[in-house]
Amino acid sequence: LFQPGMLGDRPLIVLTHGRFDPSDPLDALGQAQGIALHQQAAQLSKKGVQRVVEGSGHKFMISLPTNEPDAEKILKSFKFIQ
């Protein structure tokens, strides 16, 4: 279904939340699996990248207007594009 590069050269940025409990095996496994899936999603574009927004929660994009620390972390994730 998903083939690497199928989106051509379209820029694609896949952001992954970074907040998880590394001492909880299930949480750590879930984070690792999420990152792996997001990396695969980023490969759909030849210009795709995946970034972890350190310290952010799962719904960080929804909370953007009221959560300035998460917004700062997201902006830092985009700095590589400029």
Side-chain angles (χ1 to χ4, degrees), residues 9 13-14 17-18 21 25 28 31-33 43 49 51 55 57 62 64-65 69 73 78:
D9 289 338
I13 302 168
V14 181
H17 73 87
D21 182 358
Q31 181 70 0
Q33 289 175 332
Q43 291 174 3
V49 293
R51 296 286 186 265
I62 295 170
L64 265 181
K73 291 171 188 169
F78 287 113

Side-chain angles (χ1 to χ4, degrees), residues 33-52:
Q33 289 175 332
I35 288 172
L37 288 172
H38 286 178
Q39 288 172 339
Q40 287 179 353
Q43 291 174 3
L44 293 174
S45 169
K46 293 176 184 176
K47 293 185 177 181
V49 293
Q50 180 270 336
R51 296 286 186 265
V52 174

Side-chain angles (χ1 to χ4, degrees), residues 63-73:
S63 65
L64 265 181
T66 59
N67 193 333
E68 288 184 32
D70 280 356
E72 280 294 317
K73 291 171 188 169

